[in-house]
Every structure is written in C-alpha cells, then in structure tokens.
Amino acid sequence: MKGLYCRAGVSDAEPKFVIQETSLPEVLGNHLVRVQVKACGLSPLDLKLLDDVGIQRELIPVGREVAGVVLQVGDKVSFFQPEDEVVGILPLDSPCSGLCDVIDIDEHLLVQKPEKLSSVCVAGALRDGLCAYTALHTHARMAAGHTLLVMDGASSFGLMCIQLACYHGVKVLTTSHSPQQHTFLEQLRPSVGVQDPLVAKVIPVYSDSSDLLAVVLEETGGLGLDIVIDSGVRLQEEGSEETKLLPHKHDIISVLGVGGHWVTSHKDLQLDPPDCRYLHLKSASISFLNDEVWTASSAQQGRYLHILKDIVEKMSAGVLRPQPEEAVPLYEATVAMETVQRHQKKKAVVQL
C-alpha cells in the first residue's frame, strides 16, 4: 500500500513530496476504525506548526481530510460499524497518509457522512467549514443582527463564512480581489425562499479608489462592525505584490465597532501601542484562528464532533454550498500537492 509523504527541506529548501510504501498493523486498536478512503483533501502543510508542537519526522504524512467507508472496527468502537460512510480529519500526529487506500483512525475523529453528499465534495470542503464554524461560533460568538466583514469572500473559506453567517441572520459585507470575484459575489443568492442577496455589500479592494472605512461606516450607520474575519493582513503600509490586496492592520481596527471582535489567521501579528490603545478605547478583542487545536487537544472533543456533524448536515441540506473542486487521480497527487504548497490559498481533492 502506498501513501503520500513530505520530506521537509533543509533550511530554505522547498519540501519534497514523495510516494512511499506503508502498511497497517494486523491487529486493530480497541477504539480505531479501519477506513477505505474514497477521497482525500489536500491543504498546505504547516511545517512550522508541526515543529512548534514537537512533531519531527523524516517523512510527514500528507492529506488529512478524508471520506470513505468503514471496513473494520476495534473491539470497543461504539459509534460505527462496517459499511458505514464516514468523514473526518486525521490528527497532526497521525502516522497514516490520507492518500493510502486504507487508513486507521480513532472513532472520536469521525462522523457519519450523509448519503446524498459526495465524498469528493465533503473531503474538499470539510476544513474550510471547520475554520468558518470556529471563527464565527467559537471565537466571534455571532448572533442574529450582527454585522460581519469577511475579507476575500470568493475564497473557499470566505464563501463558507458568508453562507454560515447568513444562515444565522447576520448582515454580511465582503471584499473582492478581482473583477471576476466581484461579479461572482454580487450574484450570490440564498438557497430557498429568501429574496435578499447573501451579501449586503461587496467592496472591491483591487481598485485604489476603494475606501474600506467609508463604505463600512455607511453600511453600519456609523457604528462599525461587530465581527471582522481576515484572510491575512499587512503589517507595513507598503506591501509586496503578494500582500498588496490584504488590509492593513490599522484598517481592520478602524472598522470595528464598540465591543467588536477581530478573528485573524495571521500567525505573526504585531500590534503597536497605538493599535492596542485604539482597541482598548473600543473595548474590542482579537482571536487567532487555528483550526488544528481541535485535534491537537482532547479537551473539547465532544464539541468538535458536534461541529463536524453540523457541517456535513448543512452541506447535505444545501445551507453550505462549497465551491466544487475538480478531483484529480491518485497518480497526479504529488504534482497537485506541490501546487497547493506553493500557493497557500489553493487546495485539491484526490479521488481514490
């Protein structure tokens, strides 16, 4: 049996992705489930995070968002039985690559997959759904009537945030990074029975004439936003070609209302004393979005399973409609993962 692994580069060298032979133990652990993988999502590998939590291996398993069918269950497994369709995310320290034909995974990391939901769809969107759920429910505590700004709403993560927020009665503003994205976001409509658009306002940031603060204040009656979710920020006024479309940290702080909440995915955010003073005056707060904490700690395992179950049920019901990912065959997995790793916002799905 073969799986996809990463051989981390030395110093600044790019990581190499290789296909390696692997095997599973003959005896299945008490709480383990043996799953035949049908589809696996590929997301960028955070080597720095693995190093921070002390996971150091010569070969790091790649591909963690999996969907498949249960083949065998351990003696103490109570949630599943053979032939159940399941979906889940392998933990950071998993020895298995999700691109193996068969993997072993703890039953407490899996949920049932609705029959009408395709394996490719759920494997490609599960992580984005988890991130959106974590940002909006766990960190921002969103509620009906709140106003929300989602940066880069046309991304797979941004789209999940928009749909989840609108389902809960939140007024959504978003930004677009190109004319094509702007057109796509302007045409968003809810699924059933509601005539209003999903997005109240689309703010183009690819044009220098855009004034984020002025638009937000106009849309919120001068009060500012309850929640802002970014897709990265600029720490300096002058950004590189890669970061020129990202908002400056001061822009985000400026658009927050009193008691507002900023959820950031920027790992190395630095705030100066004037920034902190401005946040203090607004009694605003910041949370760092790290979806890996759910599998890195068992402290809130029950809540994590509830989130996964709710995500797949909302996807099955059409409340969450992810952007479809074109599945690639297994023999293209190495090239696909190299592309994903090189462009952090891209992802791929491999159909086994």
Side-chain angles (χ1 to χ4, degrees), residues 255-290:
V255 300
L256 284 172
V258 172
H261 198 95
W262 173 15
V263 182
T264 182
S265 56
H266 199 289
K267 302 178 180 68
D268 304 312
L269 182 67
Q270 297 176 349
L271 295 180
D272 301 318
D275 298 324
C276 296
R277 179 64 180 167
Y278 203 5
L279 286 168
H280 170 75
L281 288 172
K282 295 186 174 189
S283 192
S285 57
I286 300 177
S287 292
F288 290 86
L289 179 60
N290 176 15

Side-chain angles (χ1 to χ4, degrees), residues 199-233:
V199 178
K201 185 72 174 180
V202 182
I203 308 168
V205 296
Y206 52 88
S207 170
D208 293 335
S209 62
S210 298
D211 188 341
L212 187 64
L213 178 59
V215 174
V216 167
L217 292 180
E218 180 182 356
E219 289 293 324
T220 60
L223 297 177
L225 296 156
D226 297 300
I227 308 167
V228 177
I229 297 178
D230 69 37
S231 57
V233 295

